[in-house]
Amino acid sequence: MEVFRVKSIEQSILDTEEPEHRLRKDLSALDLTVFGIGVIVGTGIFVLTGRVARDLAGPAVALSFVAAGIVCALAALCYAEFASTVPVAGSAYTFAFATLGEFPAWIIGWDLMLEMMLGAAVVAVGWSGYLTSLLESLGIVLPSAIAGEGTTFNLPAALVVLALTAILVAGIKLSSRFNLVIVTIKIAVVLLVIVAGLFFINVANYTPFIPPSKPTPAVGGLAAPLIQVLFGITPVAFGVLGIFSAAAIVFFAYIGFDVVATAAEETRNPRRDLPIGIIASLLICTLLYVAVSLVVVGMQPYSQLSEAAPLADAFKAVGQTWAATLISIGALAGLTTVVMILMLGMSRVMFAMSRDNLLPRGLSKVHPRFGTPYRITILMGVIVAVLAGLVPLSTIAELVNIGTLFAFVIVSIAVVILRRTRPDLPRSFRTPLVPLVPILSVLACLYLMLNLPVETWLRFVVWMIIGVVVYLTYGYRHSRVIRRPLDSR
């Protein structure tokens, strides 16, 4: 079956040397770690903490972050082995092509496009909301037609996307330096919030640490979690099960560490630096999330936490209004890097697909001066800017979760397959306890996917069907792997 023909590791690496499609190798382990922190620390730490603590986990929300972090860590170990063994742009798309074949690789690439495109647009809209709020606190009110809820066109969201697109086109090293500055600002804000918050903790707010469980409000129809529809298991709030129900939501806060793998081809020493960047960024962010969640539930009773701005409102509750402006600045910095790195990852996945002729090959041309895939970066920047400006994306944001979890499942399976089919490959980093760790990763990801609503699954299936149609009408007909020798043009 031609559509399941794999692309060898050797050929994937050879393709990276083509003069017109060669990316510049400028990134170090520090750059990759900062990229990972830049894309992970964003909406989750500034918003989700209060929502899940108040509604699902109570003070034990810290354990929810740990549980979600463990799920990501299992997948991260698989990503680290693959990225260091196959240091080629494309992340899970490239990994799937080397193990499962072209059609599964296309499906996962199509999935990653959805994940990163929607993720970048959703976060850009959130960035616009924080900017509007910050300007209002300074006495500057933007017209409702260009910013805020119900706007005709969300101009700030579109403009930030276009500005970040220009930075990405100008070079990966410039992007990494810009990211370093912004990440430094937001980590400084997060650390200041943690340290300052320690002085206002009321230990009584931690009791009970795990509140008694109770049924969540009944959810029916397409909004019901798939696990409820299939097995009759109704999610509960609080208690031990509430911790895991919350983990399915705070998982969104970790989305992005896999984007580090998409920069494999632009890393100077990928076999050493990629595992460091992936695992270090995930570990640092988990520690920050746990610390912030413990501080915020210690400052204010979990039942009184706000959903929109839990950190800022917790400081207001103890008379420290100065924190609201500071946290808004930190949130702006955080969301800026999230948008940029999601767009970076999306462009590299599409670059790899274009280089294989599954998308028009001309899109993968690299800028002769900047060494970046400028055509595809500009195209994606315009699309994300339009989405952020026009489309209300909050109702489909959960597609980002299901897309990411699906990618994790594929990569975890692919690690086991590649161990069997290519045991001869040099592996500078090896996932421990194979196949146990990949199996646990698959099971954990599937459990979180089952906690997502039926409507999210239906939208995901529709997007996949569209992807199949695009592949059969274009990708299959133009594929380098199927239609001609791999070394041809």
Side-chain angles (χ1 to χ4, degrees), residues 53 57-61 203-213 238-239 297 301-303:
V61 63
V203 179
N205 290 333
Y206 292 124
T207 304
F209 190 71
I210 303 178
S213 63
F238 309 115
V297 297
Y302 71 88
S303 59

Side-chain angles (χ1 to χ4, degrees), residues 23-383:
L23 298 174
R24 189 169 297 166
K25 298 181 183 295
D26 281 332
L27 299 179
S28 65
L30 176 61
D31 294 323
L32 294 173
T33 301
V34 174
F35 269 138
I37 296 171
V39 72
I40 297 172
V41 178
T43 309
I45 202 167
F46 294 106
V47 176
L48 289 181
T49 305
R51 173 185 169 192
V52 296
R54 187 191 63 190
D55 298 338
L56 292 172
V61 63
L63 298 181
S64 300
F65 278 109
V66 171
I70 290 173
V71 173
C72 291
L74 293 170
L77 291 171
C78 299
Y79 267 91
E81 175 172 328
F82 245 119
S84 59
T85 306
V86 192
V88 178
S91 184
Y93 161 78
T94 300
F95 307 157
F97 213 152
T99 53
L100 302 175
E102 180 177 281
F103 178 66
W106 165 268
I107 290 298
I108 196 63
W110 187 252
D111 165 63
L112 290 173
M113 287 166 54
L114 173 74
E115 169 201 337
M116 297 178 188
M117 178 172 61
L118 288 183
V122 167
V123 177
V125 172
W127 184 94
S128 174
Y130 270 103
L131 177 67
T132 303
S133 176
L134 181 61
L135 291 178
E136 287 179 355
S137 67
L138 299 175
I140 303 172
V141 180
L142 296 178
S144 59
I146 64 169
E149 294 292 331
T151 178
T152 304
F153 184 84
N154 197 323
L155 186 61
L159 289 179
V160 73
V161 169
L162 294 177
L164 294 174
T165 299
I167 293 173
L168 290 172
V169 169
I172 191 67
K173 195 62 184 177
L174 175 62
S175 301
S176 68
R177 288 171 179 166
F178 174 79
N179 185 59
L180 177 61
V181 172
I182 301 299
V183 166
T184 300
I185 294 172
K186 72 175 175 181
I187 295 302
V189 170
V190 170
L191 291 176
L192 183 59
V193 166
I194 293 171
V195 174
L198 291 175
F199 293 96
F200 301 98
I201 286 178
N202 181 357
V203 179
N205 290 333
Y206 292 124
T207 304
F209 190 71
I210 303 178
S213 63
K214 64 178 183 180
T216 56
V219 178
L222 297 181
L226 184 61
I227 194 171
Q228 175 181 318
V229 175
L230 294 178
F231 307 110
I233 301 175
T234 304
V236 301
F238 309 115
V240 175
L241 290 180
I243 293 172
F244 290 101
S245 296
I249 296 176
V250 301
F251 175 82
F252 183 82
Y254 287 96
I255 286 177
F257 78 84
D258 54 314
V259 177
V260 175
T262 66
E265 201 170 315
E266 295 158 279
T267 305
R268 289 194 290 266
N269 186 2
R271 299 191 187 281
R272 179 182 71 89
D273 295 345
L274 280 164
I276 294 174
I278 292 172
I279 295 172
S281 60
L282 183 59
L283 178 61
I284 291 170
C285 292
T286 299
L287 293 174
L288 289 174
Y289 283 162
V290 170
V292 167
S293 61
L294 286 174
V295 167
V296 75
V297 297
M299 293 177 65
Q300 190 175 19
Y302 71 88
S303 59
Q304 298 176 17
L305 290 171
S306 74
E307 181 173 342
L311 270 67
D313 289 348
F315 275 93
K316 288 179 181 178
V318 294
Q320 304 299 311
T321 55
W322 58 270
T325 300
L326 183 62
I327 291 171
S328 293
I329 293 172
L332 277 174
L335 299 182
T336 300
T337 57
V338 174
V339 175
M340 185 182 78
I341 300 169
L342 284 174
M343 291 173 61
L344 169 72
M346 178 174 55
S347 66
R348 272 34 175 195
V349 170
M350 295 186 68
F351 168 78
M353 297 172 72
S354 173
R355 193 163 56 187
D356 290 330
N357 280 14
L358 298 182
L359 294 173
R361 189 167 173 80
L363 292 175
S364 61
K365 187 172 182 180
V366 172
H367 195 283
R369 177 183 173 189
F370 301 129
T372 57
Y374 67 103
R375 291 180 177 177
I376 212 159
T377 301
I378 293 172
L379 174 62
M380 286 298 95
V382 171
I383 292 174

